[in-house]
Structure formats: structure tokens, C-alpha cells
């Protein structure tokens, strides 16, 4: 493949390029009127206008029709002895029945359906069932607290929640149903809760509101016609953190999204018939949507879904699964690679991993040491690593090597996919040509681009299109080297990336200040060898309040309650005062340096209201 000339052709005539991709990858009920119609200055994004399709048909029916016995889903449970397999025909049957259950519970086209689920086949059935009947799913990662779930249910106006009695993650049991009960306590909006039995444990059951999935599924009609949807009808909402305010409900379309999911899956992972593809992401994140479910199923791949954690029963678990299922393509996050690398090579010794052909990473920059370990030890120096850069908002991968085509550079997401036009902008919004570093933005739309923020189109325009009109602003900073390769250097806003999880500093701060003893909190990121970034909170207590011995535990519990365990700060430092400018703005730049122990050059501190604050913080850090 000649990447350069194909890329040039895609950029020279995007209209025909994207028309061709849509025809090649997707079955349409009716073709489009225009391939795209977008205006970044107004935040208007339209793809395949007036075209009709059904995403579930594209992911399931059309494959079941030609090869019903092809394996669609291989499920590996938390316990090594627990597994299930589904052919495309069986997937179709299960999706149809689930769709009929949803219908029976009153779900109609356009309704939002909230999922709070473990990694079990029913999660995928439900997502696809929503797509089948034109309902819009909103999957909430099961690591979120009831409080965070409640906020998301309210924001998307969902009247139904689909959950399981419990979830299993290693030795931990996650009380999903109980969490849902807490989340929707006294929330009239939610009319029904559909409960899948996972462990079979006794959980509270609210007759009239709660419904048992297995009972309903046994009674419904096994067939269900798919709804004909407009390409621009929303397929799902997925909440993600921004630098300010509450999480944003990112809205993705049906036609554009599925075109981009399958197109990008095809080029980045080079899937070949019969291969086993495994993405370790949870269905609650965008990677779990695009590259666990939609992209691979749209091209008829066999996907592996794993319920548990990488360290249970021990740190060989992933590699055992790779050998057992003869996994060919493996896609995961750098944080997981670093964690397993830290546990030592002995966990690799009992497996061969000979089936592996392509390795992928996503979610954060991969440091060269982890890259080398992944390449040499895991992949036995045979498998190219695709370092894929993208975001919840982009719907699919925008920067990535093409395996066996693009020359790899450890730590770089390399070059844009076909049809994608990245730019690096300077402070004034001027495009930097050649080598340089600045804001990573995109000057042309692509079919997977989000359509809006649910119920807040104004915020959509403000966040992504207002700082530099005419571009989609990613929020990341990046460097372009002399070969035209992109290197992500961090975020340009107050969003942290902890173990590949996106966390808004403002969300953590507002959880901390809920404590009666806390006057103010400032949260920044600091470097961490395993999680990439860790959360560092500077906490100013109320006047006359002494830090009680278990205050840190209380604050951790509060964050766990408001957001989830993954957002608990690793470091907390109490202070009588936070460094502020004379106009009262917290100087995060300085706090970031202190948190990172980078105190040689604190930069210009002349605008600080009280210069002593900084020396006190440093002194205190040394004393600890
Ligand atoms: O900062 C970038 C980082 O993750 C952010 C997007 O987070 P989220 O919407 O949760 O989606 C994660 C999965 C697609 C980006 O703005 N990021 C993602 N992939 C990479 C990355 N940073 C560096 N290299 C990557 N490959």
C-alpha cells in the first residue's frame, strides 16, 4: 500500500472518498442526498444527509444472513472456567429478543436507555437492541458511583436503566443493582429497571418497577424487525469529562459513526476473516463502543469479550486468554501494559502468544519503555504496534500507523488516517507548517465526528469551535516532527488522564469541597509510572480547622461517592492557603510544578498575591 498517495487522494477529493467508504463498508436502505454538509464556524456537522440505514442490521443481520454459523462473540468470564460463545445467528436471536423486551417495557424510537452493566454478553445484546429499535443508549461505566450515575440518568432523560444483579471483577463483587437503587431513589423519571442475573445473588427487587431479564426474554417473540433510521439519528450518548462544569453527553450519529467505525477498524487492525480480535476496553468507554462492539461487528469480525481484570487469578491471565482463544489482534491501554510490565516477565513465560499478529494501544501516550516491552516481550518482536490517538468526541481513531505500512516510532501515534486533516495551531490560531508544537486541531470533518452535546449545542460550539474558528479543537497539545509524525504532549485544558480515564479536575474539586472542613481545593495532575498521570489535590481547610487524622480517608470516600473509585486523588496536601493571583485566580501552573517536584524553575510568580504560600507548600512537601 502506498500510504502517501492514497492519503493525498483522500484529502484532494474528500467528498468522493467518503462516499466510497460509506458504500464499501455499510449497507444502506436508502442512499444520501449529500455526503457531508458541515460548517465548523457554526458547529454544524452533517453526514450522509437523508440516507437511511440500521446500525444493528449492519453489525448483525447482514452477517447472519450470509454465514449464520460464523462466530460473533466469544465471552470469557471472570473465572477461567466460565465462558460462552455466540454465532452471528445466535447474536441476532438474542438481540431481537432483547429488543422485544425493551419494547415491552415501553421503549420507543428516540428514547434514551441507560446501561449500567458488567462486561457480559447481555450488555452487547442491549446496546445492539437499542440500535435495532432506534433507541439511544447511554452506557455508564460500572465503576461510576450511584451519584454519578444519577446525574447521567437525569441529564439524558432516560426512563429505563438496564443493569445486572452484581458484577464480578477479580475477587471483587460490584453491587450494581444496589447502586442503581441508590442512584434512582426518589427519581420519578425512571419507570423501569431491567435486571440481568449475573451472579444470582439475592438483591432488592422493587415489584412494579424492576423486571427480571431472563423471565421476560423467555416470553417474548424471537423476531424483531429493525427500524429504518435516518443517518443523522443519534445512535448513542456517552458522557465524558471536560475542563469545566458537569460531564458532557457526547452525541454520535448512526450513519456517519458506523461508517467511520468500520472504515477505521478495517484500516488500523487489518482484520482478516476467521481472526480473533480482542479489545480489553470496558463497554462504558468510547473504545468499548467503537472497537469492542460497533467497528468489529460491522465488518463481521469475531470478537472476544472478557469480564474480569488482568491480574486475576494472576498476572498471566491476559496471555492465557490470548493462547486459549488464539487471539490475533489485541488492543489495550498503556497503563495496563505498564502495570503488567511491573509485575515481571515471569508471567509471560508460561504462554507463547504465537497467534498474535497486531498489537494496539489507546488512551494515553505510551512511554518508550512500555512500548519496547509490549513489542519485544509480549509480541516477540513480530507484531506491529498501532498507537491509536482519538477521543470520545472523534468517534474513531484519527491518528495511527497502518500496520506493516507505516514505519513505527515508539511513543508516536504517527500519521493521520485517510481523509483526516490534522493541524497544529499556535497561540494565535495560525497553522504551523513543518516541525512544531501547539494545539492539535482538525480542519475537515470526518464521518465519526460527534454531532453535539446532548441538550447543549451552545456548549458544543463553545468547547470545540470557538477558540479557533474554522477548526475542531481537540484539547490536546501535540508536536509534529520532521517526518510529519504526531506526538501527543498532553492536554491544553484542565482534564487529567489517569490510567486512560478522562477526569475533569473541576469534578474532583467539587467533590472535595462538599466536605464541611474544606474551604477550597485545587486539583492537578502529576506524573505516575503506572497510571501515566495521577491526581494531586491541594486542599485548603476552613479557618480554625485542623486536619483530623482520618480526613484523607473521609475525602477519599467523598470522591468515591460523588464520582467513583478511579477518581480518588493519589496525593492530598493540606494547606492554609492556595497560591492565587492578585485577582483571585488559582495558579495551577505553579501547583502542577510543585506536584511534579519540578521546583527548580517555578516560572514567573510575580503575579502571586502572597508569595509566601509557595514556599510554605514546598516546605510542607519536604516535611512529609
Ligand atoms: O489526551 C488524549 C488521550 O485521551 C484523550 C481522549 O480521552 P477519551 O475521550 O476518554 O478517549 C480515550 C479513548 C479514545 C485524548 O484527548 N489519548 C487518547 N489516545 C491517545 C491519547 N494520548 C496519547 N496517545 C494516544 N494514542
Amino acid at each position: 500500500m502506498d500510504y502517501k498517495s492514497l492519503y493525498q487522494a483522500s484529502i484532494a477529493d474528500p467528498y468522493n472518498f467518503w462516499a466510497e467508504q460509506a458504500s464499501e463498508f455499510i449497507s444502506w436502505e436508502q442512499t444520501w442526498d449529500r455526503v457531508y454538509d458541515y460548517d465548523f464556524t457554526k458547529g454544524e456537522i452533517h453526514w450522509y444527509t437523508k440516507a437511511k440505514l440500521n446500525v444493528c442490521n449492519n453489525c448483525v443481520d447482514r452477517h447472519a444472513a450470509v454465514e449464520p454459523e460464523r462466530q460473533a462473540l466469544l465471552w470469557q468470564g471472570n473465572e477461567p472456567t466460565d465462558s460462552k460463545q455466540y454465532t452471528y445467528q445466535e447474536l441476532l436471536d438474542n438481540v431481537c429478543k432483547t429488543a422485544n423486551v425493551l419494547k415491552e417495557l415501553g421503549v420507543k424510537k428516540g428514547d434514551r436507555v441507560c446501561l449500567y452493566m458488567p462486561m457480559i454478553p447481555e450488555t452487547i445484546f442491549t446496546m445492539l437492541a437499542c440500535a435495532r429499535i432506534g433507541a439511544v443508549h447511554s452506557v455508564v461505566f460500572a465503576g461510576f458511583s450511584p451519584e454519578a450515575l444519577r446525574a447521567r440518568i437525569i441529564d439524558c432523560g432516560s426512563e429505563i436503566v438496564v443493569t445486572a444483579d452484581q458484577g464480578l471483577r477479580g475477587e471483587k463483587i460490584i453491587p450494581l443493582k444496589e447502586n442503581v437503587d441508590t442512584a434512582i431513589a426518589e427519581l420519578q423519571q425512571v419507570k423501569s429497571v431491567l435486571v440481568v442475573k449475573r451472579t444470582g445473588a439475592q438483591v432488592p427487587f422493587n415489584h412494579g418497577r424492576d423486571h427480571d431479564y431472563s423471565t421476560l426474554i423467555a416470553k417474548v417473540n424471537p423476531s424483531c424487525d429493525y427500524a429504518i433510521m435516518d443517518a443523522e439519528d443519534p445512535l448513542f450518548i456517552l458522557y465524558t469529562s471536560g475542563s469545566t462544569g458537569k460531564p458532557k453527553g457526547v452525541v454520535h450519529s448512526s450513519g456517519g459513526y458506523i461508517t467511520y467505525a468500520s472504515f477505521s477498524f478495517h484500516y488500523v487492525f487489518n482484520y482478516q476473516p476467521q481472526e480473533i480480535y480482542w479489545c480489553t476496553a470496558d463497554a462504558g468507554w468510547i473504545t468499548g463502543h467503537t472497537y469492542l462492539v460497533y467497528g468489529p461487528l460491522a465488518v463481521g469480525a469475531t470478537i472476544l469479550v472478557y469480564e474480569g481484570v488482568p491480574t486475576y487469578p494472576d498476572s498471566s491471565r491476559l496471555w492465557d486468554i490470548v493462547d486459549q482463544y488464539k487471539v490475533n489482534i489485541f488492543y489495550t491501554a498503556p497503563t495496563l501494559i505498564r502495570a503488567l510490565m511491573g509485575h515481571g516477565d515471569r508471567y509471560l513465560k508460561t504462554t507463547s502468544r504465537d497467534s498474535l499478529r497486531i498489537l494496539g494501544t489507546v488512551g494515553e501516550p505510551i512511554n518508550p519503555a512500555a512500548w519496547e516491552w509490549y513489542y519485544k516481550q509480549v509480541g516477540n518482536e513480530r507484531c506491529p504496534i498501532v498507537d491509536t490517538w482519538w477521543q470520545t468526541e472523534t468517534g474513531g481513531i484519527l491518528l495511527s500507523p497502518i500496520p506493516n505500512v507505516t514505519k513505527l516510532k515508539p511513543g508516536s501515534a504517527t500519521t493521520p488516517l485517510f481523509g483526516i486533516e490534522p493541524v497544529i495551531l499556535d497561540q494565535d490560531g495560525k497553522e504551523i507548517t513543518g516541525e512544531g508544537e501547539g494545539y492539535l486541531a482538525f480542519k475537515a470533518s470526518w464521518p465519526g465526528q460527534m454531532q453535539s452535546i446532548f441538550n447543549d449545542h451552545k456548549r458544543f460550539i463553545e468547547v470545540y469551535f470557538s477558540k479557533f474558528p474554522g477548526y475542531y479543537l481537540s484539547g490536546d497539545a501535540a508536536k509534529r516532527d520532521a517526518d510529519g509524525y504526531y506526538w501527543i504532549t498532553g492536554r491544553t485544558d484542565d482534564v487529567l488522564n489517569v490510567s486512560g480515564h478522562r477526569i475533569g479536575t473541576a469534578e474532583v474539586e467539587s467533590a472535595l469541597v462538599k466536605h464541611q472542613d474544606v474551604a477550597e481545593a485545587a486539583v492537578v495532575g502529576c506524573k505516575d509510572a503506572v497510571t501515566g498521570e495521577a491526581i494531586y489535590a491541594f486542599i485548603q481547610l476552613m479557618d480554625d480547622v485542623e486536619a483530623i487524622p482520618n480526613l484523607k480517608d473521609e475525602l477519599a470516600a467523598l470522591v468515591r461517592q460523588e464520582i467513583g473509585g478511579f477518581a480518588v486523588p493519589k496525593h492530598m496536601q493540606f494547606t492554609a492557603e492556595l497560591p492565587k493571583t492578585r485577582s483571585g485566580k488559582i495558579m495551577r501552573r505553579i501547583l502542577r510544578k510543585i506536584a511534579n517536584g519540578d521546583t527548580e524553575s517555578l516560572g514567573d510568580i510575580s503575579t502571586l498575591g502572597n508569595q509566601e504560600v509557595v514556599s510554605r507548600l514546598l516546605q510542607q512537601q519536604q516535611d512529609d
Side-chain angles (χ1 to χ4, degrees), residues 310-311 314-319 335-351 353 369-370 373-374 376-378 530:
T311 48
D314 63 35
S315 298
S316 304
R317 186 67 191 277
L318 299 185
W319 321 127
T335 186
L336 189 144
I337 299 164
R338 286 193 296 268
L340 292 179
M341 182 171 84
H343 296 172
D345 291 355
R346 68 196 163 100
Y347 289 106
L348 283 165
K349 298 277 188 272
T350 50
T351 55
R353 302 166 310 288
W373 186 78
Y374 198 30
K376 290 190 178 145
Q377 308 302 327
V378 176
V530 174

Side-chain angles (χ1 to χ4, degrees), residues 1 3 18 21 25 259-272 275 277 279 287 290-291 295-296 299 328-332 357-362 383-390 395-406 408 412-418 420:
M1 185 198 282
Y3 166 80
W18 290 121
Q21 305 314 311
F25 288 101
T259 301
Y260 198 75
S262 29
F263 155 85
S264 54
F265 177 76
H266 171 81
Y267 281 105
V268 174
F269 296 104
N270 185 235
Y271 181 83
Q272 303 297 314
E275 283 193 322
Y277 165 82
C279 165
T287 309
T290 310
Y291 299 111
V299 307
N328 306 103
I329 304 166
F330 179 73
Y331 190 33
T332 196
R357 193 170 65 79
I358 291 171
L359 299 172
T361 70
V362 58
C383 312
I385 295 179
V386 286
D387 176 348
T388 63
W389 179 91
W390 59 297
I397 297 164
L398 299 192
L399 306 176
S400 168
I402 308 278
N404 300 315
V405 172
T406 314
L408 304 175
S412 168
T414 74
T415 45
L417 286 196
F418 306 116
I420 302 299

